[in-house]
Amino acid sequence: MGLMLKPGTSWSETYARCLTVAPEAFDEDRVRNLWGGQWHRDGVPLSATSPIDGTAIAGPPMLSAGTTEEAVRAATVEHQAWRDVPLPERAARVTAALEALTEHRDLLAMLLVWEIGKPWKTACADVDRCIDGVRWYVAEIGPMIEGRVPLDGPVSNIASWNYPMSVLAHAMLVQALAGNAVIAKTPTDGGLCCLTLAAALLKRAGLPVTLVSGSGSALSPALVRASEIGCVSFVGGRDTGAAVATALADLGKRHVLEQEGLNCWGVWEYGDFETLSAQIRKTFDYAKQRCTAYPRFVVQRELFDRFLSAYLPAIQSVRFGHPLAVAAPDDPLPELDFGPLINAAKAKELTGQVDEAIARGGVPLLRGSLGQGHLIDGQDASAYFPPVSILGPPPSSPLFHAEPFGPVDTIVLVDTEAELLAAMNASNGALVATISCDDEETARRLAGEVRAFKVGINRPRSRGDREELFGGLGASWRGAFVGGRLLVHAVTQGPPGERLPGNFPDYTLLP
């Protein structure tokens, strides 16, 4: 029996719910921008399609540089008023926004399914992490903000498409709680309607939110270099991040830039392959489209047979496909590890990289097929990419030194500790890494030589939150951190001479 789209989940029905919930932000034919405290039918909407099946969806209304400059000036006026609002009132308004997000949680999650291809469970988790995380800040903000004041200007947020709620909306809410007006650029590749609905709910709660769409090159002068901006928060790739960092270099402006890195998992003198197999399966969540994914395994050669016996069953058990496809109308939505990639262009790019790596000597350990996917007969499957694993990627391949941002693993075999460390440090810095080793002393000694900001011992590391510093090393880092007082301190001003972690003006990294 074939699969069908679950009734009640179509894009047209989902968008119609947006029109009902937030008619001020959505028109029948397009989405609006939010600036100056008002929703504007401006900008030129781009055409867009959903990665899950090619359905036409709402595209971002791209603003000009001039309009964005006007939006930044308007946000600055909002900022000057908001920074004087007492903390209890700010907390009350953020709480009201969280209640509204909770009320419309399922609609926000369904938008994430359609716009960026997240499976239902993963999409719900993205929304829930935003809500739960910000609730913690509301409860704990008092001591973190004591003796501090908001920045002199609004915080500008530029983030990638993969976590619109748990990264971008979460940051915006904490920044507003700390006393700042917030500006965000919608990612061009996806998440427009989810962020627009969230912004509408935040605006109704009385928060000073600006949400604009546009190309990075056109909007960067206003969102990065404008003198009114108090801090720039960026999450994304190295190329764009490097351009932002360069633009900030001569401005003396606060910035929090989190970028990609080739995260590696080393296996050395290790024996618990049952545990490792379960860990490997989980690394494929959301098709490894996240900054803390592990696309590289560096394995001691004499352990390769045992590693392979654990690795292949794990990767072969991964389930991917259409997040809304069911066999019968009453069936629950499928439990998938991942859906499509962000778009067909990314799937085509990865196909070319895999083909080239194999043609130049890489050994294909596994190449999945679309036929293994949970797909509807005849659907557009151009954005789907089944799991792939390559042994010994050639040094000339992008897969050797760069993050694929897709379900492609590469495996490198080594014979000595020196080779292990050299292979794990193949790129100029990573966000996270893991060492699987039975002897903890050896593992910690090796971890100290890995160029990653956070190294797990026999377990994966994540982006972290609250009290844990998080950044990167080398090219993966330009002052990035998240967590508790550090996140609040990044967007507030303390006493003269204060030293904060990160690449802030006149500040140095603390131990």
Side-chain angles (χ1 to χ4, degrees):
M1 182 177 180
L3 301 177
M4 66 175 74
L5 184 70
K6 185 172 177 63
T9 67
S10 70
W11 171 254
S12 60
E13 291 167 296
T14 302
Y15 191 78
R17 291 167 63 192
C18 293
L19 289 168
T20 300
V21 172
E24 70 272 28
F26 296 89
D27 292 328
E28 290 281 355
D29 61 334
R30 57 166 293 159
V31 176
R32 298 189 173 201
N33 288 295
L34 172 61
W35 58 271
Q38 302 292 327
W39 289 96
H40 297 266
R41 186 181 167 88
D42 54 10
V44 180
L46 294 181
S47 61
T49 57
S50 169
I52 66 174
D53 64 3
T55 295
I57 61 175
M62 310 288 274
L63 289 181
S64 66
T67 303
T68 306
E69 291 170 359
E70 187 176 352
V72 169
R73 289 192 292 270
T76 303
V77 173
E78 288 185 287
H79 178 83
Q80 297 307 317
W82 179 251
R83 72 195 307 270
D84 293 330
V85 173
L87 177 59
E89 175 62 20
R90 297 200 305 262
R93 295 192 196 182
V94 170
T95 298
L98 293 174
E99 291 172 354
L101 293 174
T102 301
E103 179 183 355
H104 299 290
R105 175 257 206 179
D106 286 359
L107 177 55
L108 290 163
M110 187 58 70
L111 289 167
L112 292 180
V113 174
W114 277 106
E115 294 189 288
I116 62 176
K118 287 196 170 184
W120 175 247
K121 184 177 179 180
T122 308
C124 291
D126 192 6
V127 181
D128 291 342
R129 288 193 192 106
C130 172
I131 295 170
D132 295 342
V134 178
R135 286 195 193 282
W136 182 85
Y137 282 92
V138 171
E140 302 293 335
I141 187 69
M144 292 189 283
I145 208 168
E146 185 175 353
R148 310 186 67 81
V149 296
L151 299 177
D152 293 330
V155 181
S156 177
N157 295 271
I158 303 171
S160 56
W161 45 264
N162 52 347
Y163 287 93
M165 293 299 297
S166 61
V167 173
L168 182 51
H170 178 280
M172 294 166 63
L173 283 160
V174 175
Q175 292 159 8
L177 180 64
N180 303 286
V182 295
I183 306 169
K185 186 182 93 66
T186 57
T188 304
D189 288 330
L192 166 70
C193 292
C194 178
L195 284 168
T196 299
L197 178 58
L201 300 175
L202 269 58
K203 173 70 172 59
R204 288 182 184 178
L207 300 180
V209 177
T210 295
L211 186 67
V212 295
S213 293
S215 70
S217 59
L219 273 54
S220 182
L223 299 183
V224 175
R225 298 188 62 89
S227 60
E228 297 93 339
I229 298 296
C231 177
V232 176
S233 176
F234 173 88
V235 180
R238 286 189 183 184
D239 292 342
T240 303
V244 172
T246 300
L248 290 168
D250 60 346
L251 297 179
K253 191 188 299 294
R254 288 197 179 197
H255 55 280
V256 181
L257 274 65
E258 177 189 324
Q259 300 171 103
E260 66 186 275
L262 181 59
N263 306 318
C264 294
W265 195 308
V267 181
W268 185 261
E269 297 179 354
Y270 183 70
D272 188 4
F273 286 96
E274 183 177 352
T275 295
L276 183 62
S277 182
Q279 292 170 334
I280 289 170
R281 166 71 185 267
K282 292 179 181 178
T283 68
F284 278 87
D285 285 352
Y286 194 37
K288 304 202 175 195
Q289 296 179 109
R290 61 186 192 278
C291 66
T292 54
Y294 285 86
R296 168 69 51 81
F297 289 86
V298 182
V299 182
Q300 187 176 5
R301 190 183 307 273
E302 65 180 61
L303 296 178
F304 182 55
D305 58 335
R306 298 182 65 191
F307 171 83
L308 204 59
S309 295
Y311 175 83
L312 285 179
I315 189 174
Q316 289 168 338
S317 68
V318 168
R319 295 193 68 209
F320 72 94
H322 193 308
L324 303 175
V326 294
D330 293 334
D331 285 353
L333 291 173
E335 292 271 348
L336 302 173
D337 295 287
F338 62 90
L341 302 188
I342 185 58
N343 52 43
K346 180 62 181 179
K348 183 177 180 180
E349 173 191 300
L350 274 185
T351 298
Q353 291 179 355
V354 167
D355 290 345
E356 181 184 45
I358 293 173
R360 294 183 179 183
V363 178
L365 294 177
L366 178 73
R367 294 194 75 171
S369 69
L370 288 180
Q372 298 167 320
H374 181 83
L375 301 172
I376 297 173
D377 290 343
Q379 75 159 86
D380 181 344
S382 57
Y384 290 83
F385 195 90
V388 170
S389 180
I390 299 174
L391 175 66
S396 60
S397 168
L399 296 177
F400 182 84
H401 55 78
E403 181 181 26
F405 225 65
V408 178
D409 278 351
T410 54
I411 299 173
V412 175
L413 303 184
V414 295
D415 297 298
T416 67
E417 289 185 359
E419 289 179 306
L420 175 83
L421 293 171
M424 293 188 71
N425 293 328
S427 70
N428 183 19
L431 298 177
V432 296
T434 288
I435 299 286
S436 287
C437 178
D438 290 337
D439 183 70
E440 186 170 335
E441 182 178 347
T442 299
R444 296 198 178 281
R445 175 172 52 80
L446 292 172
E449 299 297 323
V450 175
R451 286 183 56 77
F453 195 82
K454 291 163 56 173
V455 182
I457 305 300
N458 297 322
R459 65 185 181 92
R461 297 306 305 272
S462 68
R463 189 172 186 267
D465 200 356
R466 299 178 181 173
E467 290 304 317
E468 187 174 34
L469 183 71
F470 178 65
L473 290 176
S476 71
W477 184 52
R478 293 290 191 281
F481 61 80
V482 295
R485 61 182 179 82
L486 296 172
L487 179 56
V488 173
H489 288 185
V491 294
T492 54
Q493 301 178 78
E498 175 186 55
R499 296 162 70 88
L500 294 176
N503 293 348
F504 294 120
D506 302 322
Y507 298 138
T508 58
L509 179 65
L510 296 178

